[in-house]
Amino acid sequence: MSLKPRILFLDAYDSFSNNIIALLEAQCNVHVTKVYIDAVIPDLDDFLTAFAAIVCGPGPGHPTRLKDVGLFKDVWALPADNIIPVLGICLGFQSLAHELGAAVVCLPQPRHGIRTCVTTSSTSIFKDLSEIHAVQYHSLHAVLPEDTGTDLAETRLWKPSMLCPDLQPLAWDFSGQAGMDPKFQKNPHAILMAIKHKDKPFYGLQFHPESICSDHSAQLVVANWWRSSLEWLSCNRPTRLVHEDTVNLDRMRPLVHDINLESGGNGQMTRSGSPASTWSSTSSAMTPDSSRETHEDYPKLVSATLPIGALTIPSICNALDLSRHECIILDSEMRQLPQLGVSSIIGMVLPQTKKITYSVGAKKVKLQHGGKEELVDLNDYEGNIFSYIKAFMFNYKIDTNAKRAFCGGLMGYITYEAGLESIGVPSPASSGGPDICFAFVKHSILIDHKQHTVHVQFLQVHEHDYDADSWVTKTASILDDLSKQNVKCSLDIQPRTFSQATKRRTPPTESEYKAKIAHCQEEIGAGNSYELCLTDQTSISLGDDISSWDMFVNLRQLNPAPFAAYVRLGPLTLLSTSPERFMNWSRFQMSSHGLDSSELELFSTCQFRPIKGTVRKDQVGPDGTVHRVTRLEATEILKTQKEQAENLMIVDLIRHDLYGVCRDVCVEGLMVVEEYESVFQLVSVIEGKLYKSTHFTPPTPDETSGIDCLAASLPPGSMTGAPKRRSCQLLREIENEKPRSVYSGVLGYMCVSGKGDFSVVIRSLYKWDSPGPDHSIWKIGAGGAITTLSTEEDEWEEMLTKLQSTYRLFGSK
């Protein structure tokens, strides 16, 4: 058994915390246990005996507010005989600086997602590191009482001041105006970046060494801190250096009020009901459904394959008359990109199809099947809808047809409000219908655009599915005949608009939206958020005779997208032309590095593709002429600090989400420009790997899977901002507590083969069926990420650009 010291990480509800924990474990060879700052620990001295050091992490808020720093203040006040090394990062740095007498005030121009050169003292934890390049995320900065100099050569900037005798400066940012956005000219020439206590082993870093854009030397600072801490511990607390892999958590548990202690993973210890404990995959209560339909010979896939010929998504759906019934169509036909848009899926929802529905705040989930309805108590599934979904899917596994994107399984959506509930942000249930709805699709058609084939599929889950062969044969025959017909391809038909059918439109007003932008920037300036993804919705009232299917067929041509979708599920009708994958995950396969080991491993890859940064192709000049932006011009625009910072913040946030579940996380593509019908967008690709052993252990429903990643990552970071939890709380207020509903949520599938794929519901319109006058009111959501570098005019124009991609279906400009 290896022996490693354990570090306590105090989490101030930040969205980069898990990145720091991963960095600590990699650089310091330690175990890390996470506790939230508002945990109630009656005997902190006794509790800390299990730890060799503490890290006070970043987070929103101000270091003078107790609710924002919580346990940080108790750490600084530890008695001399119980002191251990401490590293404060960002808010933790500011808290330490404040305790040592520095003022912490607002920067004239906050710095979030900005990479700068930091000049160091080349001493202490910066030994042999005269300069580092690191990312900053802060609206506040620490100011020393005599910090008025602007000359780099002034030696007093590197010495303790008379009014802060215990505070030793270690690093400054003197970048000033060089290479920075003009807005940063308002900031002081010298910004304090790192400090240490003159006598105690307390250190602080204002910058974020864990960011994907901080260089390796920034990470070495953390390694140097730990090396310094080991030296201090060997002289002062030698017993803290040796702890078994698993600390005696049973002994620690009574010391903490409302804490769930977990010894697995990265040793997270979380507040009951806190974001990290709302979803857990370790409960023994999660058991397979007792009503399981399958036995060892099932499920199995009955299918027929035919060449695609002249078949298209619209022609298939028209031939089978699907538009008059419930169905879920994930349509990549019009916009196929490398590794995206490889296949399209038509899922049929029949009267006997099983449906899972859930509304925010409910204690039960509805399972509907063949006109019957069963209420399932979520207390049997950790009180969590995702635990129930995992247990449900455990009943249906198929090991054949591994290469197919979809063989059958759950298809449906999760609203933004369901995502809020998963991170502990109170919100009302989505108006109009359930917040989570999935249909267990057995009848499906898979179009493989790469192989130019069509698979007609029936997932046979038990021996009583008598009609599997006959349905597949009949449907394949219809499509085979259709594929040979010499008919005009629906892809070539000129799209039309529905302006004549529009009765009323209520888009956001410019003054109200700009006021919300200003409110966002006030919150960012106060240190309460790094980035806020503001949205608003437009309502459109249509005539009763308008076909939603006709609308979709035209919309998919007006705005081709790799994640287009047509959904009629329960009371929801959704027409989507989303360009953004939220996440997908692969089925488990053999790990190459495990082939020579005694215990083989299987791995599954979870991939996220956030979009942040948008350039409209058609730019209208002052004289009214339209300039068509080229890819090269768009790339230059998207290289600006504002656009890069927007994307970077979401990349770091998603890395944090993944590290909460995955062992290995990497960025496969950082800020790549992609072209769409009306815009250029900045896209990044982040991947994490899940592992499981093949050591002769039977599978269990609580094994970690892509569903865990899905649950841990909601709502989509590209629709919230960072830190996610505080940003969502602020956005609820700024957006007047209006539900976003399915907009900003996710849509996709979980396959019985172990795969899954979800898109973010943007560039979309939706409506809920209702008996009242609102039954024909459609809503379109649009918005953008507000940062400190945003301008009201630019953000208003960006929101209109995104709105127009869908709004023009109604002849609107």
Side-chain angles (χ1 to χ4, degrees):
M1 178 183 292
S2 62
L3 301 177
K4 293 182 181 181
R6 187 174 288 272
I7 289 177
L8 175 64
F9 185 89
L10 297 180
D11 188 357
Y13 292 96
D14 196 65
S15 287
F16 306 145
S17 298
N18 291 338
N19 302 339
I20 299 174
I21 290 171
L23 177 62
L24 289 167
E25 293 182 333
Q27 290 288 330
C28 308
N29 192 30
V30 295
H31 289 303
V32 180
T33 296
K34 182 165 77 172
V35 174
Y36 284 93
I37 55 169
D38 53 356
V40 180
I41 305 176
D43 192 340
L44 184 61
D45 287 1
D46 188 34
F47 181 75
L48 291 178
T49 58
F51 301 97
I54 302 170
V55 174
C56 297
H62 199 284
T64 61
R65 288 199 293 263
L66 183 59
K67 70 181 181 68
D68 291 335
V69 294
L71 286 170
F72 291 2
K73 289 186 68 67
D74 298 325
V75 169
W76 311 132
L78 285 171
D81 59 354
N82 205 26
I83 284 174
I84 53 177
V86 182
L87 176 64
I89 298 176
C90 200
L91 182 63
F93 159 88
Q94 294 165 4
S95 178
L96 174 60
H98 173 68
E99 289 297 319
L100 297 181
V104 179
V105 300
C106 293
L107 279 168
Q109 189 64 45
R111 310 176 99 168
H112 294 293
I114 304 300
R115 185 175 184 264
T116 69
C117 178
V118 174
T119 302
T120 85
S121 64
S122 297
T123 64
S124 184
I125 61 175
F126 292 96
K127 186 178 180 181
D128 299 326
L129 298 171
S130 60
E131 287 185 348
I132 62 173
H133 290 83
V135 172
Q136 299 176 37
Y137 289 107
H138 61 113
S139 300
L140 314 175
H141 72 125
V143 179
L144 305 183
E146 292 108 353
D147 177 15
T148 57
T150 59
D151 185 0
L152 176 59
E154 288 192 29
T155 57
R156 64 188 181 85
L157 286 178
W158 300 97
K159 296 180 179 179
S161 65
M162 291 181 61
L163 296 179
C164 299
D166 292 328
L167 190 156
Q168 172 69 60
L170 294 178
W172 294 83
D173 184 342
F174 294 107
S175 60
Q177 303 171 13
M180 302 294 288
D181 187 284
K183 286 188 174 185
F184 289 116
Q185 295 176 8
K186 303 174 185 177
N187 282 338
H189 172 71
I191 300 175
L192 189 59
M193 285 286 113
I195 60 175
K196 71 179 290 288
H197 191 287
K198 183 168 169 287
D199 301 313
K200 299 176 182 178
F202 295 169
Y203 294 80
L205 306 175
Q206 177 61 82
F207 58 86
H208 282 246
E210 83 289 350
S211 172
I212 193 62
C213 285
S214 290
D215 65 17
H216 182 62
S217 61
Q219 299 176 14
L220 290 179
V221 175
V222 175
N224 289 346
W225 164 76
W226 181 240
R227 193 174 299 112
S228 172
S229 298
L230 290 175
E231 293 173 0
W232 188 93
L233 287 163
S234 65
C235 295
N236 298 275
R237 304 280 188 274
T239 59
R240 302 292 186 96
L241 289 174
V242 181
H243 286 284
E244 295 183 356
D245 277 350
T246 303
V247 170
N248 187 345
L249 298 180
D250 288 335
R251 185 184 66 80
M252 296 166 65
R253 185 176 287 106
L255 302 179
V256 187
H257 286 179
D258 298 322
I259 291 284
N260 292 327
L261 281 170
E262 299 175 16
S263 59
N266 57 13
Q268 294 189 41
M269 188 182 341
T270 60
R271 206 169 41 83
S272 180
S274 70
S277 65
T278 341
W279 164 247
S280 169
S281 62
T282 58
S283 171
S284 60
M286 184 163 51
T287 55
D289 186 356
S290 59
S291 63
R292 177 173 178 168
E293 299 175 300
T294 63
H295 57 69
E296 59 184 12
D297 295 328
Y298 295 92
K300 65 180 182 181
L301 192 66
V302 179
S303 69
T305 301
L306 56 148
I308 196 166
L311 293 174
T312 65
I313 298 289
S315 66
I316 292 172
C317 293
N318 290 337
L320 300 177
D321 200 23
L322 298 184
S323 63
R324 295 198 308 115
H325 309 282
E326 287 186 284
C327 61
I328 303 166
I329 301 169
L330 306 182
D331 175 13
S332 299
E333 186 171 61
M334 299 296 290
R335 182 61 173 167
Q336 298 162 37
L337 298 174
Q339 299 182 349
L340 296 177
V342 175
S343 59
S344 297
I345 302 167
I346 300 172
M348 303 177 193
V349 183
L350 308 179
Q352 66 269 29
T353 299
K354 281 189 175 182
K355 285 186 197 172
I356 296 171
T357 63
Y358 170 78
S359 295
V360 163
K363 304 298 183 183
K364 298 181 184 296
V365 61
K366 291 182 182 178
L367 180 61
Q368 299 168 312
H369 183 209
K372 299 178 182 179
E373 186 175 288
E374 176 187 354
L375 290 178
V376 180
D377 191 341
L378 287 179
N379 288 324
D380 296 333
Y381 300 88
E382 302 170 328
N384 189 285
I385 177 61
F386 295 103
S387 294
Y388 173 77
I389 289 173
K390 277 192 72 174
F392 181 93
M393 286 300 292
F394 183 76
N395 293 327
Y396 306 99
K397 288 188 176 182
I398 192 168
D399 295 322
T400 57
N401 306 100
K403 293 184 178 180
R404 289 194 186 178
F406 185 74
C407 302
L410 291 178
M411 298 181 73
Y413 67 86
I414 302 170
T415 67
Y416 176 76
E417 282 67 36
L420 292 182
E421 184 181 57
S422 74
I423 59 170
V425 176
S427 64
S430 180
S431 58
D435 287 287
I436 294 178
C437 185
F438 284 98
F440 187 70
V441 172
K442 297 195 292 185
H443 302 71
S444 64
I445 298 172
L446 174 69
I447 299 93
D448 188 325
H449 300 296
K450 191 174 181 179
Q451 299 297 326
H452 305 290
T453 55
V454 176
H455 304 284
V456 179
Q457 308 178 136
F458 189 111
L459 182 66
Q460 199 171 9
V461 299
H462 52 67
E463 65 273 20
H464 301 301
D465 280 335
Y466 300 115
D467 61 340
D469 291 302
S470 60
W471 181 85
V472 168
T473 300
K474 178 181 177 182
T475 304
S477 176
I478 293 171
L479 298 186
D480 187 45
D481 291 343
L482 182 65
S483 70
K484 298 172 183 176
Q485 293 179 13
N486 186 20
V487 296
K488 185 175 182 180
C489 179
S490 62
L491 303 184
D492 299 328
I493 297 173
Q494 185 67 27
R496 69 182 180 92
T497 62
F498 294 79
S499 56
Q500 299 300 317
T502 306
K503 294 181 177 180
R504 187 176 71 254
R505 314 175 194 210
T506 55
T509 66
E510 183 174 356
S511 59
E512 289 180 353
Y513 193 77
K514 286 183 175 179
K516 292 175 182 178
I517 295 170
H519 190 169
C520 287
Q521 292 190 310
E522 288 174 9
E523 297 290 356
I524 293 170
N528 295 324
S529 178
Y530 314 145
E531 175 181 38
L532 288 164
C533 296
L534 177 67
T535 72
D536 211 329
Q537 297 203 32
T538 295
S539 296
I540 299 175
S541 178
L542 297 179
D544 295 339
D545 57 342
I546 302 303
S547 162
S548 61
W549 176 248
D550 287 345
M551 290 168 60
F552 175 70
V553 169
N554 284 274
L555 180 63
R556 70 197 289 269
Q557 292 180 262
L558 284 170
N559 195 41
F563 297 101
Y566 176 81
V567 178
R568 285 192 64 191
L569 189 59
L572 175 70
T573 304
L574 169 66
L575 320 180
S576 176
T577 52
S578 174
E580 182 174 353
R581 165 175 281 159
F582 174 52
M583 71 165 293
N584 76 330
W585 64 89
S586 66
R587 63 182 295 161
F588 279 92
Q589 55 190 301
M590 189 66 68
S591 172
S592 59
H593 67 260
L595 292 177
D596 297 327
S597 79
S598 59
E599 185 172 324
L600 300 180
E601 282 187 315
L602 300 174
F603 76 92
S604 168
T605 300
C606 301
Q607 183 193 86
F608 288 73
R609 300 186 85 259
I611 290 177
K612 266 288 164 275
T614 303
V615 175
R616 191 172 188 168
K617 283 187 174 179
D618 293 334
Q619 303 276 354
V620 181
D623 59 353
T625 59
V626 177
H627 170 65
R628 188 71 169 176
V629 176
T630 66
R631 187 186 187 93
L632 183 62
E633 290 171 328
T635 300
E636 288 303 309
I637 295 171
L638 292 170
K639 281 183 180 177
T640 62
Q641 283 185 329
K642 173 188 177 296
E643 302 295 342
Q644 299 265 309
E646 279 187 24
N647 197 284
L648 172 59
M649 282 185 260
I650 302 307
V651 170
D652 280 341
L653 180 152
I654 288 173
R655 290 173 60 231
H656 160 88
D657 286 344
L658 277 171
Y659 270 127
V661 181
C662 297
R663 186 198 306 173
D664 297 331
V665 175
C666 63
V667 177
E668 291 292 329
L670 184 61
M671 305 184 203
V672 177
V673 177
E674 289 186 354
E675 183 176 0
Y676 293 89
E677 186 70 15
S678 58
V679 296
F680 293 96
Q681 306 230 247
L682 203 58
V683 182
S684 292
V685 180
I686 309 99
E687 291 185 351
K689 282 189 168 54
L690 300 169
Y691 293 93
K692 68 179 181 179
S693 171
T694 62
H695 193 58
F696 309 112
T697 54
T700 60
D702 58 356
E703 284 181 343
T704 303
S705 71
I707 300 176
D708 295 83
C709 268
L710 174 68
S713 304
L714 294 169
S718 61
M719 303 305 297
T720 64
K724 185 184 284 187
R725 187 169 185 261
R726 179 67 67 89
S727 295
C728 287
Q729 291 169 336
L730 294 171
L731 287 166
R732 287 280 300 148
E733 175 188 350
I734 295 168
E735 296 178 1
N736 301 319
E737 300 192 352
K738 293 180 180 178
R740 293 188 185 181
S741 193
V742 70
Y743 168 68
S744 295
V746 298
L747 166 71
Y749 68 84
M750 306 173 205
C751 182
V752 292
S753 69
K755 299 177 181 179
D757 203 350
F758 284 80
S759 64
V760 181
V761 181
I762 54 176
R763 316 291 197 274
S764 307
L765 62 155
Y766 70 92
K767 75 178 182 76
W768 296 102
D769 292 338
S770 64
D774 294 342
H775 72 281
S776 59
I777 293 181
W778 293 81
K779 292 190 176 181
I780 306 173
I786 311 302
T787 71
T788 184
L789 295 176
S790 298
T791 66
E792 292 180 5
E793 187 61 34
D794 287 347
E795 293 299 336
W796 167 250
E797 288 298 324
E798 180 174 334
M799 187 277 290
L800 291 180
T801 296
K802 294 172 179 176
L803 173 63
Q804 186 62 23
S805 65
T806 309
Y807 199 41
R808 60 187 176 147
L809 179 65
F810 306 100
S812 305
K813 293 184 178 180

